[in-house]
Amino acid sequence: MEGTTPNLPGILVNGTVQDQNRYKPICQLFNIFYRFATLYDTINRIPVFSAYTFTGPPTGPRPNQRWMIEPQLEDKHYTRDMMVAGRRLRVEHQATNADYKERGFNQGR
């Protein structure tokens, strides 16, 4: 907020990630635009927080987008572009469709 990160004791302090093996800061890139800045917990496979600059209501209907993953959470050398979840990449550090289906949840669509 206003150019600063939140302070989360034991997680993020003064903009520094405390456990860099567990928490990964990423900028989510999709269709050549950065969309969100996210701090991701790779153990629990969930975002700790995600930031987005809101510019107003959408101009069209919500897209029917397939589930996307962040390759950079699996290996820092992978592309920064979000990609459709599938068999091309082994996913261990983030939630997938299977995680939701196994527990009877959906992604809020």
Side-chain angles (χ1 to χ4, degrees), residues 10-108:
I11 298 174
L12 184 67
V13 178
N14 296 323
T16 301
V17 176
Q18 301 300 292
D19 181 349
Q20 295 187 13
N21 291 318
R22 177 176 184 170
Y23 301 103
K24 304 292 181 189
I26 60 173
C27 289
Q28 295 178 274
L29 182 67
F30 180 62
N31 285 344
I32 72 167
F33 293 105
Y34 284 101
R35 309 291 177 153
F36 297 88
T38 301
L39 183 64
Y40 208 90
D41 178 340
T42 61
I43 302 296
N44 289 316
R45 298 166 43 151
I46 58 171
V48 175
F49 69 81
S50 193
Y52 174 78
T53 302
F54 180 71
T55 58
T59 57
R62 184 174 181 173
N64 186 12
Q65 182 66 44
R66 293 180 60 192
W67 188 257
M68 305 291 280
I69 60 164
E70 291 290 344
Q72 60 189 316
L73 288 173
E74 302 308 322
D75 186 314
K76 68 180 180 179
H77 300 292
Y78 287 161
T79 179
R80 293 194 175 279
D81 289 323
M82 292 171 61
M83 58 193 299
V84 173
R87 295 185 181 151
R88 295 183 294 168
L89 180 66
R90 184 174 171 169
V91 179
E92 297 178 355
H93 299 106
Q94 57 194 296
T96 64
N97 268 334
D99 293 300
Y100 286 87
K101 288 179 182 177
E102 288 171 10
R103 291 165 180 82
F105 296 114
N106 66 42
Q107 297 89 1

